[in-house]
C-alpha cells in the first residue's frame, strides 16, 4: 500500500462519518422542530450516545455531541404517560418487555417531576387534532 492509498482510505472514512453525522443530525432535527412546533418540552438534542463530550444549553434544551456516533436522540418530556397513582401494575406475561415498559414509565414520571410536575407540555398530552390547533 502506498501512502496515498492510505490517506485516501482515511479521507473516505472521515467523509463517511461526517456524512453519517449530518444525516443523523438532520433526522433528529426533524423530531426537534416538530416537538417545538407543537410546544412539547425538549430537554436534550444529541448526536451520538454515551457521556457528553461537548454540550451547551440554549433555553430549556441541552445540545451535545457524544462519543458513540451510531445514532442520536432527542429527549421529550412525557414520552410515555405515567401510570395513574394508586393504580396497580397490570399483570402481564411479557417478561422483560413488561419490565422495560414499567422502567420507561417510571423514568417518564421522574422527568415530569424534575420539570416541576407540570405535564402540560408533555408529549403524551398531544392529540390527533394538535396539528390543526
Amino acid at each position: 500500500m502506498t501512502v496515498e492509498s492510505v490517506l485516501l482510505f482515511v479521507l473516505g472514512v472521515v467523509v463517511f462519518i461526517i456524512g453519517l453525522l449530518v444525516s443523523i443530525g438532520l433526522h433528529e432535527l426533524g423530531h426537534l422542530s416538530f416537538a417545538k412546533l407543537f410546544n412539547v418540552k425538549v430537554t436534550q438534542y444529541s448526536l451520538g450516545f454515551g457521556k457528553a463530550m461537548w454540550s451547551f444549553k440554549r433555553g430549556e434544551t441541552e445540545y451535545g455531541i457524544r462519543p458513540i456516533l451510531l445514532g442520536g436522540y432527542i429527549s421529550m418530556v412525557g414520552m410515555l404517560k405515567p401510570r395513574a397513582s394508586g393504580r396497580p401494575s397490570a399483570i402481564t406475561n411479557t417478561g422483560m418487555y413488561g419490565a422495560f415498559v414499567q422502567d420507561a414509565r417510571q423514568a417518564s414520571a421522574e422527568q415530569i417531576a424534575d420539570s416541576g410536575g407540570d405535564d402540560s407540555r408533555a408529549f403524551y398530552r398531544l392529540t390527533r387534532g394538535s396539528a390543526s390547533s
Side-chain angles (χ1 to χ4, degrees), residues 5-29:
S5 63
V6 170
L7 288 176
L8 284 174
F9 176 78
V10 170
L11 179 63
V13 170
V14 169
V15 167
F16 176 79
I17 290 172
I18 290 171
L20 186 62
L21 281 177
V22 167
S23 175
I24 292 167
L26 290 173
H27 175 89
E28 296 306 326
L29 191 60

Side-chain angles (χ1 to χ4, degrees), residues 31-84:
H31 292 294
L32 177 72
S33 60
F34 275 93
K36 296 232 180 214
L37 178 68
F38 293 108
N39 201 29
V40 174
K41 185 173 184 179
V42 178
T43 57
Q44 287 185 324
Y45 170 91
S46 182
L47 294 178
F49 303 109
K51 189 173 174 135
M53 296 180 349
W54 177 80
S55 69
F56 68 94
K57 191 166 188 169
R58 180 169 293 154
E60 62 192 12
T61 306
E62 176 188 5
Y63 300 85
I65 296 178
R66 297 167 187 268
I68 304 170
L69 302 174
L70 297 176
Y73 66 94
I74 68 166
S75 178
M76 293 184 276
V77 170
M79 282 296 293
L80 289 173
K81 185 174 183 178
R83 183 172 301 287

